[in-house]
Amino acid sequence: MKCTVCRGPAVIDVRRHNAAFCPDHFIVHCRDQVRRAITEHDMLSPDDRVLVAVSGGKDSLALWDLLAALDVPADGLHLRLGIGDYSTESTRAARAYASARGWTLHEVDLDADWGFTIPDAAAATHRVPCSACGLSKRHLCNQYAVEHGYDVVATGHNLDDEAAVLLGNVLRWETGYLGRQQPVLPAAPGFARKVKPLVRLGERELAAYCVIRRIDYQVEECPLASGNRHLAYKEVLNGLEHRSPGTKAAFVHGFFARGQTRFTGEDTATPLQPCATCGAPTPGEVCAFCRLRARVAERQ
Ligand code: Q46
Ligand code: ZN
Ligand code: ZN
């Protein structure tokens, strides 16, 4: 296998681009894909203060690295979720990465700062842990950004994540979620802009990127992920991609280009007002995060 660019020995093939790359040209490919995503979707302006959500996994650390390579300075925010050894190791990887580069990593500790962990929340809600976890992550990242003057929150959602979420939303015709599934969610009162600069890179590419760049990331999967439907959707999509390379990218980028706008406005039925407890914008009287906190507190 030879590098499509320089004909030197290739270390990875990217079938959907009908290409293979040596380490140096693979890094160039990853940077090009991120630059293209940022430009195509108008994700960032030069003066933006950017906050990267840093879990300590491959996607978020690669994202931070790629943004720096593209001259987008960003601080990190790590949320400590209290998921046993998995969280301890994730925090270690995130801190080690930031301190080796002298970059700023902020932390929010769900247990110390908010009085509960994700396993506590799952037990109190009797639902899969990922619902309480996703809700908490969205709320806390946005709150941190708004309170500390960041314009943008960048997350490490990659092409595989977006394809799996899109398939789930289509299978259930979740029109409200489809209306909000965008590579950029614009800022609104009480909300920082949300961007996903990795939407043009797959999971396998991001793992290879970290190996080539010698980024030490948390390799374990979250032990609470097993109830997550997206794992099954990823398996199905991997099967389709194997038979027909480019399927995932066509599905996701075709949706962004031609499908998504048909669903905008589907979720704006209720006007937002400040949460009575924390002030975050919410359609109800109390926001979902504060309701979650109250449920966990009741049980404790
Ligand atoms: S950390 Fe949280 Fe993920 Fe674990 S509980 Fe689910 S959402 S799987 S990215
Ligand atoms: Zn090359
Ligand atoms: Zn609230």
Side-chain angles (χ1 to χ4, degrees):
M1 195 166 67
K2 286 187 176 159
C3 173
T4 312
V5 185
C6 70
R7 310 308 295 163
V11 290
I12 183 167
D13 63 332
V14 182
R15 287 177 66 208
R16 74 173 182 285
H17 288 286
N18 201 12
F21 298 105
C22 69
D24 287 353
H25 287 118
F26 179 66
I27 300 301
V28 173
H29 156 80
C30 293
R31 288 176 186 165
D32 285 349
Q33 294 303 312
V34 172
R35 190 183 293 114
R36 195 168 152 193
I38 291 173
T39 317
E40 236 170 32
H41 300 290
D42 215 358
M43 291 184 181
L44 300 171
S45 317
D47 296 333
D48 281 339
R49 283 192 74 214
V50 182
L51 186 67
V52 181
V54 177
S55 68
K58 64 182 186 326
D59 303 317
S60 59
L61 295 183
L63 171 61
W64 208 359
D65 201 71
L66 282 156
L67 288 176
L70 298 178
D71 289 325
V72 178
D75 293 340
L77 173 65
H78 175 70
L79 306 178
R80 301 182 63 185
L81 303 171
I83 309 176
D85 293 348
Y86 168 76
S87 285
T88 310
E89 173 54 22
S90 302
T91 302
R92 186 208 59 77
R95 285 179 180 171
Y97 178 90
S99 73
R101 288 156 184 81
W103 295 352
T104 302
L105 180 68
H106 306 291
E107 289 187 17
V108 171
D109 185 324
L110 204 50
D111 198 9
D113 301 338
W114 296 98
F116 70 95
T117 64
I118 295 303
D120 295 337
T125 53
H126 305 291
R127 293 186 58 193
V128 288
C130 295
S131 348
C133 188
L135 178 167
S136 303
K137 289 196 278 198
R138 281 191 298 278
H139 179 91
L140 294 171
C141 282
N142 183 66
Q143 183 186 53
Y144 198 95
V146 170
E147 286 180 357
H148 295 83
Y150 289 95
D151 304 290
V152 189
V153 176
T155 55
H157 295 98
N158 60 43
L159 177 61
D160 292 76
D161 299 326
E162 288 302 303
V165 170
L166 179 57
L167 181 58
N169 287 340
V170 167
L171 289 175
R172 288 180 175 70
W173 290 114
E174 297 278 11
T175 52
Y177 290 147
L178 286 165
R180 264 173 296 163
Q181 191 176 352
Q182 302 169 33
V184 181
L185 271 181
F191 292 107
R193 188 184 333 135
K194 311 292 175 338
V195 301
K196 300 172 183 171
L198 300 185
V199 285
R200 302 191 61 86
L201 290 170
E203 229 149 61
R204 183 172 154 268
E205 285 156 276
L206 288 158
Y209 181 88
C210 287
V211 171
I212 293 171
R213 294 279 294 155
R214 296 204 168 83
I215 294 172
D216 171 26
Y217 61 92
Q218 157 67 296
V219 289
E220 299 300 327
E221 289 294 326
C222 171
L224 306 182
S226 53
N228 191 329
R229 285 197 206 111
H230 292 131
L231 292 179
Y233 299 150
K234 282 186 178 177
E235 265 177 45
V236 169
L237 287 158
N238 284 341
L240 294 171
E241 182 75 18
H242 182 71
R243 284 188 176 193
S244 178
T247 302
K248 282 180 214 172
F251 185 42
V252 169
H253 297 296
F255 172 70
F256 290 157
R258 299 185 297 280
Q260 197 274 330
T261 51
R262 313 211 175 194
F263 299 97
T264 45
E266 290 275 340
D267 62 333
T268 52
T270 328
L272 302 180
Q273 55 184 42
C275 164
T277 311
C278 75
T282 170
E285 200 188 316
V286 175
C287 78
F289 181 73
C290 289
R291 278 184 276 132
L292 175 67
R293 277 176 64 204
R295 278 191 82 170
V296 183
E298 253 169 44
R299 194 170 182 270
Q300 282 166 347

Short mmCIF file of all heavy atoms in Angstrom, two decimals, residues 190-249:
data_model
loop_
_atom_site.label_atom_id
_atom_site.label_comp_id
_atom_site.label_asym_id
_atom_site.label_seq_id
_atom_site.Cartn_x
_atom_site.Cartn_y
_atom_site.Cartn_z
N GLY A 190 -28.26 32.90 26.57
CA GLY A 190 -28.01 31.82 27.53
C GLY A 190 -27.32 30.60 26.95
O GLY A 190 -27.02 29.65 27.67
N PHE A 191 -27.06 30.62 25.64
CA PHE A 191 -26.40 29.47 25.00
C PHE A 191 -25.18 29.93 24.21
O PHE A 191 -25.29 30.85 23.37
CB PHE A 191 -27.34 28.77 24.00
CG PHE A 191 -28.50 28.06 24.64
CD1 PHE A 191 -29.78 28.57 24.53
CD2 PHE A 191 -28.31 26.88 25.34
CE1 PHE A 191 -30.87 27.93 25.10
CE2 PHE A 191 -29.39 26.22 25.91
CZ PHE A 191 -30.67 26.74 25.80
N ALA A 192 -24.04 29.29 24.44
CA ALA A 192 -22.86 29.51 23.59
C ALA A 192 -23.09 28.74 22.28
O ALA A 192 -23.90 27.82 22.23
CB ALA A 192 -21.62 28.99 24.28
N ARG A 193 -22.37 29.14 21.22
CA ARG A 193 -22.44 28.37 19.96
C ARG A 193 -21.82 26.99 20.19
O ARG A 193 -20.88 26.84 20.97
CB ARG A 193 -21.66 29.13 18.87
CG ARG A 193 -21.80 28.54 17.48
CD ARG A 193 -20.93 29.29 16.45
NE ARG A 193 -20.70 30.65 16.82
CZ ARG A 193 -19.49 31.24 16.76
NH1 ARG A 193 -18.43 30.60 16.32
NH2 ARG A 193 -19.34 32.49 17.14
N LYS A 194 -22.38 25.94 19.55
CA LYS A 194 -21.82 24.59 19.66
C LYS A 194 -21.33 24.17 18.28
O LYS A 194 -22.07 24.32 17.31
CB LYS A 194 -22.89 23.59 20.11
CG LYS A 194 -23.70 24.00 21.34
CD LYS A 194 -22.87 24.02 22.58
CE LYS A 194 -23.56 24.55 23.82
NZ LYS A 194 -24.69 25.40 23.73
N VAL A 195 -20.09 23.67 18.21
CA VAL A 195 -19.57 23.25 16.90
C VAL A 195 -18.95 21.85 16.99
O VAL A 195 -18.45 21.45 18.04
CB VAL A 195 -18.52 24.26 16.35
CG1 VAL A 195 -19.11 25.65 16.21
CG2 VAL A 195 -17.26 24.30 17.22
N LYS A 196 -18.99 21.14 15.86
CA LYS A 196 -18.45 19.78 15.79
C LYS A 196 -17.44 19.69 14.65
O LYS A 196 -17.76 19.21 13.56
CB LYS A 196 -19.60 18.79 15.53
CG LYS A 196 -20.68 18.79 16.60
CD LYS A 196 -21.86 17.94 16.14
CE LYS A 196 -22.99 17.95 17.14
NZ LYS A 196 -24.21 17.31 16.61
N PRO A 197 -16.20 20.14 14.89
CA PRO A 197 -15.23 20.21 13.79
C PRO A 197 -14.77 18.84 13.26
O PRO A 197 -14.12 18.78 12.21
CB PRO A 197 -14.04 20.96 14.40
CG PRO A 197 -14.61 21.65 15.61
CD PRO A 197 -15.69 20.76 16.11
N LEU A 198 -15.11 17.74 13.96
CA LEU A 198 -14.63 16.42 13.51
C LEU A 198 -15.64 15.68 12.64
O LEU A 198 -15.46 14.48 12.37
CB LEU A 198 -14.25 15.54 14.71
CG LEU A 198 -13.15 16.07 15.64
CD1 LEU A 198 -12.81 15.03 16.71
CD2 LEU A 198 -11.88 16.42 14.86
N VAL A 199 -16.69 16.36 12.18
CA VAL A 199 -17.74 15.63 11.44
C VAL A 199 -17.28 15.02 10.12
O VAL A 199 -18.01 14.23 9.53
CB VAL A 199 -19.00 16.49 11.17
CG1 VAL A 199 -19.83 16.67 12.41
CG2 VAL A 199 -18.64 17.81 10.52
N ARG A 200 -16.09 15.39 9.67
CA ARG A 200 -15.61 14.79 8.42
C ARG A 200 -14.59 13.68 8.66
O ARG A 200 -13.99 13.16 7.71
CB ARG A 200 -14.98 15.86 7.51
CG ARG A 200 -15.92 17.01 7.15
CD ARG A 200 -15.33 17.88 6.06
NE ARG A 200 -15.12 17.11 4.86
CZ ARG A 200 -16.03 16.91 3.93
NH1 ARG A 200 -17.21 17.47 4.02
NH2 ARG A 200 -15.77 16.16 2.88
N LEU A 201 -14.34 13.31 9.94
CA LEU A 201 -13.36 12.26 10.24
C LEU A 201 -14.03 11.11 10.99
O LEU A 201 -14.82 11.35 11.91
CB LEU A 201 -12.22 12.84 11.09
CG LEU A 201 -11.27 13.80 10.37
CD1 LEU A 201 -10.35 14.49 11.37
CD2 LEU A 201 -10.45 13.06 9.31
N GLY A 202 -13.69 9.88 10.61
CA GLY A 202 -14.26 8.71 11.25
C GLY A 202 -13.47 8.30 12.49
O GLY A 202 -12.35 8.76 12.72
N GLU A 203 -14.10 7.40 13.26
CA GLU A 203 -13.49 6.91 14.50
C GLU A 203 -12.10 6.30 14.27
O GLU A 203 -11.17 6.54 15.02
CB GLU A 203 -14.40 5.82 15.07
CG GLU A 203 -14.72 5.98 16.50
CD GLU A 203 -16.10 5.44 16.83
OE1 GLU A 203 -16.33 4.22 16.62
OE2 GLU A 203 -16.94 6.23 17.27
N ARG A 204 -12.02 5.49 13.21
CA ARG A 204 -10.77 4.81 12.91
C ARG A 204 -9.67 5.81 12.56
O ARG A 204 -8.51 5.67 12.96
CB ARG A 204 -11.04 3.85 11.75
CG ARG A 204 -9.89 3.00 11.33
CD ARG A 204 -10.37 1.98 10.29
NE ARG A 204 -9.27 1.58 9.45
CZ ARG A 204 -8.96 2.15 8.29
NH1 ARG A 204 -9.67 3.16 7.83
NH2 ARG A 204 -7.94 1.70 7.59
N GLU A 205 -10.03 6.84 11.83
CA GLU A 205 -9.05 7.88 11.50
C GLU A 205 -8.58 8.60 12.76
O GLU A 205 -7.40 8.93 12.90
CB GLU A 205 -9.66 8.91 10.54
CG GLU A 205 -9.80 8.41 9.11
CD GLU A 205 -10.89 9.15 8.37
OE1 GLU A 205 -12.07 8.77 8.49
OE2 GLU A 205 -10.57 10.12 7.69
N LEU A 206 -9.50 8.85 13.69
CA LEU A 206 -9.11 9.59 14.89
C LEU A 206 -8.21 8.75 15.79
O LEU A 206 -7.27 9.26 16.40
CB LEU A 206 -10.36 10.09 15.62
CG LEU A 206 -11.00 11.23 14.81
CD1 LEU A 206 -12.45 11.41 15.15
CD2 LEU A 206 -10.22 12.54 15.00
N ALA A 207 -8.48 7.45 15.85
CA ALA A 207 -7.60 6.57 16.64
C ALA A 207 -6.20 6.56 16.00
O ALA A 207 -5.18 6.68 16.69
CB ALA A 207 -8.18 5.16 16.70
N ALA A 208 -6.15 6.47 14.67
CA ALA A 208 -4.85 6.46 13.98
C ALA A 208 -4.13 7.79 14.18
O ALA A 208 -2.91 7.84 14.38
CB ALA A 208 -5.06 6.19 12.49
N TYR A 209 -4.89 8.87 14.15
CA TYR A 209 -4.30 10.21 14.35
C TYR A 209 -3.60 10.26 15.70
O TYR A 209 -2.46 10.72 15.81
CB TYR A 209 -5.40 11.28 14.26
CG TYR A 209 -4.87 12.69 14.46
CD1 TYR A 209 -4.40 13.43 13.38
CD2 TYR A 209 -4.83 13.27 15.72
CE1 TYR A 209 -3.89 14.72 13.56
CE2 TYR A 209 -4.32 14.55 15.91
CZ TYR A 209 -3.85 15.27 14.83
OH TYR A 209 -3.35 16.53 15.01
N CYS A 210 -4.29 9.76 16.76
CA CYS A 210 -3.70 9.79 18.10
C CYS A 210 -2.45 8.93 18.18
O CYS A 210 -1.46 9.31 18.81
CB CYS A 210 -4.72 9.33 19.15
SG CYS A 210 -6.00 10.57 19.44
N VAL A 211 -2.47 7.77 17.52
CA VAL A 211 -1.29 6.90 17.55
C VAL A 211 -0.11 7.60 16.86
O VAL A 211 0.99 7.68 17.41
CB VAL A 211 -1.60 5.54 16.88
CG1 VAL A 211 -0.33 4.71 16.71
CG2 VAL A 211 -2.64 4.77 17.70
N ILE A 212 -0.37 8.15 15.68
CA ILE A 212 0.71 8.81 14.93
C ILE A 212 1.23 10.03 15.68
O ILE A 212 2.44 10.29 15.72
CB ILE A 212 0.23 9.18 13.51
CG1 ILE A 212 -0.03 7.90 12.71
CG2 ILE A 212 1.25 10.06 12.78
CD1 ILE A 212 -0.71 8.12 11.37
N ARG A 213 0.34 10.77 16.30
CA ARG A 213 0.75 11.98 17.04
C ARG A 213 1.21 11.66 18.46
O ARG A 213 1.47 12.54 19.25
CB ARG A 213 -0.42 12.99 17.10
CG ARG A 213 -0.81 13.55 15.75
CD ARG A 213 0.08 14.68 15.30
NE ARG A 213 -0.05 15.84 16.15
CZ ARG A 213 0.89 16.77 16.33
NH1 ARG A 213 2.05 16.65 15.72
NH2 ARG A 213 0.68 17.79 17.12
N ARG A 214 1.25 10.36 18.79
CA ARG A 214 1.66 9.90 20.13
C ARG A 214 0.83 10.57 21.23
O ARG A 214 1.37 11.05 22.23
CB ARG A 214 3.14 10.17 20.37
CG ARG A 214 4.04 9.39 19.44
CD ARG A 214 5.43 9.21 20.05
NE ARG A 214 6.19 8.23 19.27
CZ ARG A 214 6.85 8.53 18.16
NH1 ARG A 214 6.83 9.76 17.67
NH2 ARG A 214 7.52 7.59 17.52
N ILE A 215 -0.46 10.59 21.03
CA ILE A 215 -1.36 11.14 22.05
C ILE A 215 -1.84 9.96 22.91
O ILE A 215 -2.39 8.99 22.39
CB ILE A 215 -2.57 11.86 21.40
CG1 ILE A 215 -2.09 13.10 20.64
CG2 ILE A 215 -3.61 12.23 22.45
CD1 ILE A 215 -3.16 13.78 19.80
N ASP A 216 -1.58 10.08 24.21
CA ASP A 216 -1.95 9.01 25.13
C ASP A 216 -3.38 9.28 25.61
O ASP A 216 -3.62 10.23 26.34
CB ASP A 216 -0.94 9.06 26.29
CG ASP A 216 -1.32 8.15 27.43
OD1 ASP A 216 -2.02 7.15 27.18
OD2 ASP A 216 -0.94 8.46 28.58
N TYR A 217 -4.34 8.47 25.13
CA TYR A 217 -5.74 8.74 25.47
C TYR A 217 -6.35 7.58 26.25
O TYR A 217 -5.76 6.50 26.33
CB TYR A 217 -6.56 9.03 24.20
CG TYR A 217 -6.61 7.90 23.19
CD1 TYR A 217 -7.64 6.96 23.22
CD2 TYR A 217 -5.64 7.77 22.19
CE1 TYR A 217 -7.70 5.92 22.30
CE2 TYR A 217 -5.69 6.73 21.27
CZ TYR A 217 -6.73 5.81 21.33
OH TYR A 217 -6.79 4.80 20.42
N GLN A 218 -7.50 7.83 26.82
CA GLN A 218 -8.23 6.78 27.55
C GLN A 218 -8.77 5.80 26.51
O GLN A 218 -9.65 6.14 25.72
CB GLN A 218 -9.37 7.46 28.35
CG GLN A 218 -10.55 6.57 28.73
CD GLN A 218 -10.22 5.49 29.71
OE1 GLN A 218 -9.42 4.59 29.42
NE2 GLN A 218 -10.82 5.54 30.87
N VAL A 219 -8.25 4.56 26.52
CA VAL A 219 -8.65 3.61 25.47
C VAL A 219 -9.87 2.77 25.86
O VAL A 219 -10.54 2.21 25.00
CB VAL A 219 -7.50 2.65 25.07
CG1 VAL A 219 -6.42 3.37 24.30
CG2 VAL A 219 -6.90 1.97 26.29
N GLU A 220 -10.16 2.70 27.17
CA GLU A 220 -11.30 1.88 27.60
C GLU A 220 -12.61 2.54 27.17
O GLU A 220 -12.72 3.77 27.16
CB GLU A 220 -11.33 1.76 29.13
CG GLU A 220 -10.11 1.09 29.75
CD GLU A 220 -9.91 -0.32 29.25
OE1 GLU A 220 -10.92 -1.01 28.96
OE2 GLU A 220 -8.74 -0.75 29.12
N GLU A 221 -13.59 1.69 26.85
CA GLU A 221 -14.93 2.21 26.60
C GLU A 221 -15.59 2.46 27.95
O GLU A 221 -15.28 1.77 28.94
CB GLU A 221 -15.77 1.16 25.84
CG GLU A 221 -15.35 0.95 24.41
CD GLU A 221 -15.59 2.18 23.53
OE1 GLU A 221 -16.58 2.90 23.78
OE2 GLU A 221 -14.78 2.41 22.62
N CYS A 222 -16.52 3.38 28.01
CA CYS A 222 -17.25 3.62 29.24
C CYS A 222 -18.02 2.33 29.62
O CYS A 222 -18.71 1.75 28.79
CB CYS A 222 -18.22 4.77 29.04
SG CYS A 222 -19.36 4.98 30.42
N PRO A 223 -17.90 1.89 30.90
CA PRO A 223 -18.58 0.64 31.29
C PRO A 223 -20.11 0.78 31.30
O PRO A 223 -20.81 -0.22 31.36
CB PRO A 223 -18.06 0.40 32.71
CG PRO A 223 -17.62 1.74 33.21
CD PRO A 223 -17.15 2.50 31.99
N LEU A 224 -20.62 2.00 31.23
CA LEU A 224 -22.07 2.20 31.27
C LEU A 224 -22.68 2.30 29.87
O LEU A 224 -23.87 2.52 29.72
CB LEU A 224 -22.41 3.47 32.06
CG LEU A 224 -21.84 3.57 33.47
CD1 LEU A 224 -22.29 4.85 34.14
CD2 LEU A 224 -22.27 2.37 34.31
N ALA A 225 -21.84 2.13 28.84
CA ALA A 225 -22.32 2.37 27.47
C ALA A 225 -23.19 1.25 26.93
O ALA A 225 -23.86 1.43 25.92
CB ALA A 225 -21.14 2.59 26.54
N SER A 226 -23.23 0.09 27.62
CA SER A 226 -23.85 -1.08 26.98
C SER A 226 -25.33 -0.90 26.65
O SER A 226 -25.82 -1.47 25.69
CB SER A 226 -23.64 -2.31 27.85
OG SER A 226 -24.09 -2.02 29.14
N GLY A 227 -26.05 -0.08 27.43
CA GLY A 227 -27.47 0.13 27.11
C GLY A 227 -27.68 1.14 25.99
O GLY A 227 -28.82 1.43 25.63
N ASN A 228 -26.59 1.65 25.45
CA ASN A 228 -26.69 2.74 24.48
C ASN A 228 -27.04 2.20 23.09
O ASN A 228 -26.29 1.43 22.52
CB ASN A 228 -25.34 3.46 24.46
CG ASN A 228 -25.39 4.76 23.72
OD1 ASN A 228 -26.16 4.90 22.77
ND2 ASN A 228 -24.58 5.70 24.12
N ARG A 229 -28.17 2.63 22.56
CA ARG A 229 -28.63 2.15 21.24
C ARG A 229 -27.65 2.50 20.13
O ARG A 229 -27.62 1.84 19.10
CB ARG A 229 -29.95 2.85 20.87
CG ARG A 229 -31.14 2.36 21.59
CD ARG A 229 -32.37 2.84 20.78
NE ARG A 229 -33.50 2.96 21.67
CZ ARG A 229 -34.05 4.10 22.03
NH1 ARG A 229 -33.59 5.25 21.57
NH2 ARG A 229 -35.08 4.12 22.84
N HIS A 230 -26.89 3.56 20.34
CA HIS A 230 -26.02 4.01 19.24
C HIS A 230 -24.96 2.98 18.88
O HIS A 230 -24.47 2.96 17.76
CB HIS A 230 -25.38 5.35 19.58
CG HIS A 230 -26.40 6.44 19.62
ND1 HIS A 230 -26.52 7.34 20.64
CD2 HIS A 230 -27.39 6.74 18.74
CE1 HIS A 230 -27.54 8.14 20.39
NE2 HIS A 230 -28.08 7.80 19.26
N LEU A 231 -24.62 2.11 19.84
CA LEU A 231 -23.63 1.07 19.52
C LEU A 231 -24.16 0.14 18.44
O LEU A 231 -23.45 -0.23 17.52
CB LEU A 231 -23.27 0.27 20.78
CG LEU A 231 -22.50 1.04 21.86
CD1 LEU A 231 -22.23 0.15 23.05
CD2 LEU A 231 -21.19 1.59 21.29
N ALA A 232 -25.45 -0.23 18.53
CA ALA A 232 -26.06 -1.10 17.53
C ALA A 232 -26.14 -0.38 16.18
O ALA A 232 -25.88 -0.97 15.13
CB ALA A 232 -27.44 -1.53 17.98
N TYR A 233 -26.48 0.91 16.21
CA TYR A 233 -26.55 1.67 14.95
C TYR A 233 -25.17 1.74 14.30
O TYR A 233 -25.04 1.66 13.08
CB TYR A 233 -27.08 3.08 15.19
CG TYR A 233 -28.47 3.12 15.75
CD1 TYR A 233 -28.88 4.16 16.58
CD2 TYR A 233 -29.40 2.11 15.46
CE1 TYR A 233 -30.17 4.20 17.10
CE2 TYR A 233 -30.68 2.14 15.98
CZ TYR A 233 -31.06 3.18 16.81
OH TYR A 233 -32.32 3.23 17.32
N LYS A 234 -24.12 1.89 15.13
CA LYS A 234 -22.77 1.96 14.57
C LYS A 234 -22.41 0.64 13.88
O LYS A 234 -21.80 0.63 12.82
CB LYS A 234 -21.74 2.29 15.66
CG LYS A 234 -21.74 3.76 16.02
CD LYS A 234 -20.63 4.14 16.99
CE LYS A 234 -20.68 5.64 17.24
NZ LYS A 234 -19.70 6.11 18.22
N GLU A 235 -22.82 -0.47 14.50
CA GLU A 235 -22.53 -1.78 13.89
C GLU A 235 -23.18 -1.90 12.53
O GLU A 235 -22.58 -2.34 11.55
CB GLU A 235 -23.07 -2.89 14.80
CG GLU A 235 -22.03 -3.45 15.74
CD GLU A 235 -22.66 -4.49 16.65
OE1 GLU A 235 -23.43 -5.36 16.14
OE2 GLU A 235 -22.41 -4.41 17.86
N VAL A 236 -24.45 -1.52 12.46
CA VAL A 236 -25.18 -1.59 11.19
C VAL A 236 -24.50 -0.71 10.14
O VAL A 236 -24.28 -1.12 9.01
CB VAL A 236 -26.65 -1.13 11.40
CG1 VAL A 236 -27.35 -0.92 10.08
CG2 VAL A 236 -27.39 -2.12 12.27
N LEU A 237 -24.16 0.51 10.55
CA LEU A 237 -23.54 1.44 9.60
C LEU A 237 -22.16 0.96 9.16
O LEU A 237 -21.78 1.13 8.00
CB LEU A 237 -23.44 2.83 10.25
CG LEU A 237 -24.79 3.55 10.37
CD1 LEU A 237 -24.76 4.63 11.44
CD2 LEU A 237 -25.20 4.15 9.03
N ASN A 238 -21.43 0.31 10.07
CA ASN A 238 -20.12 -0.23 9.69
C ASN A 238 -20.28 -1.31 8.62
O ASN A 238 -19.46 -1.40 7.70
CB ASN A 238 -19.37 -0.79 10.90
CG ASN A 238 -18.80 0.33 11.77
OD1 ASN A 238 -18.64 1.46 11.30
ND2 ASN A 238 -18.51 0.02 13.02
N GLY A 239 -21.33 -2.12 8.75
CA GLY A 239 -21.60 -3.15 7.74
C GLY A 239 -21.87 -2.52 6.38
O GLY A 239 -21.35 -2.96 5.35
N LEU A 240 -22.68 -1.47 6.36
CA LEU A 240 -23.01 -0.78 5.10
C LEU A 240 -21.76 -0.11 4.52
O LEU A 240 -21.52 -0.17 3.32
CB LEU A 240 -24.09 0.29 5.34
CG LEU A 240 -25.47 -0.23 5.75
CD1 LEU A 240 -26.37 0.92 6.17
CD2 LEU A 240 -26.09 -1.02 4.61
N GLU A 241 -20.97 0.49 5.39
CA GLU A 241 -19.76 1.20 4.95
C GLU A 241 -18.76 0.20 4.33
O GLU A 241 -18.10 0.50 3.35
CB GLU A 241 -19.13 1.92 6.15
CG GLU A 241 -17.89 2.73 5.84
CD GLU A 241 -18.18 4.05 5.13
OE1 GLU A 241 -19.34 4.50 5.16
OE2 GLU A 241 -17.25 4.60 4.53
N HIS A 242 -18.71 -0.99 4.95
CA HIS A 242 -17.79 -2.01 4.46
C HIS A 242 -18.15 -2.41 3.02
O HIS A 242 -17.31 -2.54 2.16
CB HIS A 242 -17.82 -3.21 5.40
CG HIS A 242 -16.86 -4.29 5.00
ND1 HIS A 242 -15.50 -4.14 5.14
CD2 HIS A 242 -17.07 -5.50 4.42
CE1 HIS A 242 -14.91 -5.23 4.68
NE2 HIS A 242 -15.84 -6.07 4.24
N ARG A 243 -19.45 -2.58 2.80
CA ARG A 243 -19.91 -2.96 1.46
C ARG A 243 -19.80 -1.82 0.48
O ARG A 243 -19.57 -2.02 -0.71
CB ARG A 243 -21.39 -3.35 1.52
CG ARG A 243 -21.62 -4.68 2.11
CD ARG A 243 -23.07 -4.99 1.91
NE ARG A 243 -23.38 -6.33 2.38
CZ ARG A 243 -24.50 -6.92 2.10
NH1 ARG A 243 -25.41 -6.34 1.36
NH2 ARG A 243 -24.74 -8.13 2.56
N SER A 244 -20.03 -0.63 0.98
CA SER A 244 -20.08 0.51 0.07
C SER A 244 -19.42 1.71 0.74
O SER A 244 -20.09 2.51 1.40
CB SER A 244 -21.55 0.77 -0.25
OG SER A 244 -21.67 1.88 -1.07
N PRO A 245 -18.09 1.82 0.59
CA PRO A 245 -17.37 2.91 1.28
C PRO A 245 -17.92 4.28 0.88
O PRO A 245 -18.21 4.51 -0.29
CB PRO A 245 -15.92 2.75 0.79
CG PRO A 245 -15.83 1.33 0.34
CD PRO A 245 -17.18 0.96 -0.19
N GLY A 246 -18.08 5.12 1.87
CA GLY A 246 -18.60 6.47 1.60
C GLY A 246 -20.06 6.62 2.02
O GLY A 246 -20.61 7.73 1.99
N THR A 247 -20.69 5.48 2.42
CA THR A 247 -22.11 5.54 2.78
C THR A 247 -22.36 6.48 3.96
O THR A 247 -23.28 7.29 3.93
CB THR A 247 -22.62 4.12 3.14
OG1 THR A 247 -22.40 3.29 2.01
CG2 THR A 247 -24.08 4.13 3.50
N LYS A 248 -21.54 6.35 4.99
CA LYS A 248 -21.75 7.18 6.20
C LYS A 248 -21.61 8.66 5.86
O LYS A 248 -22.42 9.48 6.28
CB LYS A 248 -20.71 6.85 7.27
CG LYS A 248 -20.96 5.60 8.03
CD LYS A 248 -19.83 5.43 9.05
CE LYS A 248 -19.53 3.98 9.25
NZ LYS A 248 -18.35 3.74 10.08
N ALA A 249 -20.56 8.99 5.11
CA ALA A 249 -20.32 10.40 4.79
C ALA A 249 -21.46 10.93 3.92
O ALA A 249 -21.93 12.05 4.12
CB ALA A 249 -18.98 10.56 4.07
#
